[in-house]
């Protein structure tokens, strides 16, 4: 993988933690198909967020450095809306999704991701699992994130 080969040692550690989080998502969702996990920004954002937070927990960088790093990568580009983020969004999908996941945790804490995927395990529609886990409907959150990103870039 070219991304792996060009990654710094810190980025490789983060990628490993990110991928491990995907295994946790699968386990918590009861093996529900990936296509039913909800928006890309939740699935990849929570993986990316938890990857970076594992680096914070390890003392490799601060939470503020993680946020600054992701925001810096979005300077001088048109940031796509959360609703339009997908695996075809290029290099923007990961920082945008990670920042969205961070914003979700500010209100709900990191355990909300576990609650979200456990809700999926119980066959809740992702929209219901999202509202239950994060305390707001996804459309409301997407609007809040759009305002947040505009005020922070």
């Amino acid at each position: 993988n070219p991304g792996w080969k060009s990654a710094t040692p810190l980025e490789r550690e983060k990628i490993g933690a990110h991928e491990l989080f995907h295994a946790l998502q699968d386990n918590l969702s009861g093996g529900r198909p990936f296509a039913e996990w909800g928006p890309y920004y939740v699935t990849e954002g929570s993986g990316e967020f938890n990857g970076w937070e594992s680096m914070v927990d390890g003392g490799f960088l601060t939470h503020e450095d993680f946020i600054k790093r992701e925001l810096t990568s979005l300077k001088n580009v048109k940031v796509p809306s959360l609703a339009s983020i997908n695996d075809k969004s290029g290099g923007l999908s990961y920082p945008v999704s990670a920042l969205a996941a961070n914003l979700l945790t500010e209100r709900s804490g990191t355990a909300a991701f576990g609650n979200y995927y456990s809700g999926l395990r119980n066959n809740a529609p992702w929209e219901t699992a999202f509202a239950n886990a994060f305390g707001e409907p996804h459309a409301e959150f997407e609007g809040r994130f759009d305002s947040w990103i505009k005020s922070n870039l």
Side-chain angles (χ1 to χ4, degrees):
N1 180 312
W4 179 260
K5 288 181 179 179
S6 66
T8 67
L10 176 66
E11 290 167 334
R12 287 182 178 187
E13 293 285 337
K14 187 272 302 176
I15 291 167
H18 171 121
E19 295 305 330
L20 185 59
F21 192 77
H22 286 321
L24 178 63
Q25 289 167 317
D26 183 60
N27 184 47
L28 289 172
S29 74
R32 194 162 169 176
F34 179 81
E36 296 177 11
W37 286 5
Y40 187 86
Y41 72 86
V42 177
T43 300
E44 287 300 332
S46 57
E48 198 70 356
F49 172 83
N50 282 286
W52 282 118
E53 283 299 302
S54 71
M55 298 298 94
V56 171
D57 291 346
F60 297 104
L61 74 163
T62 66
H63 180 78
E64 293 74 24
D65 289 339
F66 148 58
I67 299 301
K68 183 178 177 182
R69 179 186 179 106
E70 300 301 85
L71 285 170
T72 299
S73 72
L74 299 173
K75 295 277 186 202
N76 305 313
V77 298
K78 182 177 179 345
V79 177
S81 70
L82 286 180
S84 70
I85 288 283
N86 59 44
D87 62 347
K88 308 288 188 265
S89 300
L92 300 177
S93 61
Y94 287 105
V96 171
S97 296
L99 291 167
N102 178 70
L103 192 60
L104 283 169
T105 66
E106 287 182 2
R107 279 195 184 170
S108 307
T110 57
F113 291 120
N115 296 337
Y116 174 74
Y117 288 98
S118 294
L120 295 179
R121 172 187 219 109
N122 296 324
N123 292 318
W126 75 262
E127 296 90 344
T128 302
F130 187 100
N132 290 342
F134 301 113
E136 63 187 315
H138 73 95
E140 185 178 306
F141 171 72
E142 289 170 8
R144 186 163 67 87
F145 177 79
D146 288 342
S147 296
W148 181 88
I149 198 77
K150 286 176 186 160
S151 69
N152 282 280
L153 284 177

